Amino acid sequence: MHIFRHSVALLLALAAASLSSTACAQAQQTPSARRSQRASVTQRVGAAEIVVAYSRPVARGRELFPGVVSWGRNWSPGADTATSVAFSADVLVNGQALGKGTYSIWMIPQQAEWTVIFSSAHPVWHVPYPEGKEVLRVPATPATGSHMEALAFYFPVVEPDSTVLNMHWGTTVVPLSIKVK
């Protein structure tokens, strides 16, 4: 009986050690959380759907504009893979025509007016800027809002055939007016 108890105890200890080493190996293989989390936002406008997919860098007390992002240089608003926007129908962006499709978004920040660029290059890394792939450039006037720690895209206004898409990071808000054709 004593040998039986000892054998059972030994088997239980070996099984526990095996499970523990398997859990440790799995934990070591699990990638750590990203500093810039992936996000997406979808909005239906009439019969059209707009989908923005991006990574959300965090301000972490840094000066953003200018600072982390320089004035006058091409910037993909986000981190890692360039931010993309997909339109299921033809649209007008700030009054200019853009065909249905998926585009990477780039911006050239300035103090008074930004340039927003829609590029046919996608999926693509957020650096370097994909020269020669521009489909549309539109001007956008930045505004000041409350502090947004992690970069965000959102639709604060939605009408039956139009919407506003905001890019918001820190206290900078860049609105884009979108009308479905």
Side-chain angles (χ1 to χ4, degrees):
M1 186 66 110
H2 178 67
I3 293 175
F4 177 74
R5 282 186 188 154
H6 188 266
S7 297
V8 169
L10 181 60
L11 285 173
L12 288 174
L14 287 173
S18 174
L19 288 173
S20 176
S21 69
T22 301
C24 286
Q26 287 175 342
Q28 289 173 352
Q29 292 174 359
T30 303
S32 61
R34 304 178 128 204
R35 290 181 64 95
S36 298
Q37 294 294 312
R38 294 291 300 161
S40 65
V41 61
T42 302
Q43 181 63 58
R44 181 157 293 281
V45 181
E49 188 170 81
I50 303 168
V51 179
V52 181
Y54 62 107
S55 290
R56 300 188 71 195
V58 179
R60 294 186 185 88
R62 302 175 291 175
E63 182 177 347
L64 301 175
F65 306 104
V68 173
V69 180
S70 301
W71 293 135
R73 290 195 168 165
N74 288 322
W75 171 61
S76 177
D80 305 327
T81 303
T83 295
S84 68
V85 61
F87 301 99
S88 69
D90 295 345
V91 295
L92 296 173
V93 178
N94 288 1
Q96 297 185 40
L98 182 62
K100 75 177 184 178
T102 303
Y103 305 94
S104 56
I105 300 176
W106 303 82
M107 296 182 171
I108 303 173
Q110 296 288 352
Q111 285 180 315
E113 184 176 86
W114 289 35
T115 301
V116 180
I117 304 166
F118 295 86
S119 171
S120 62
H122 76 87
V124 64
W125 195 246
H126 75 283
V127 289
Y129 174 71
E131 295 287 345
K133 301 286 187 172
E134 291 179 19
V135 176
L136 177 66
R137 281 181 175 233
V138 296
T141 303
T144 301
S146 60
H147 180 75
M148 179 74 69
E149 182 67 10
L151 182 138
F153 283 89
Y154 57 91
F155 298 91
V157 177
V158 181
E159 299 292 335
D161 67 344
S162 65
T163 188
V164 172
L165 171 62
N166 280 350
M167 186 286 305
H168 189 164
W169 195 25
T171 58
T172 302
V173 180
V174 180
L176 293 173
S177 171
I178 301 171
K179 182 171 178 60
V180 177
K181 288 174 126 185

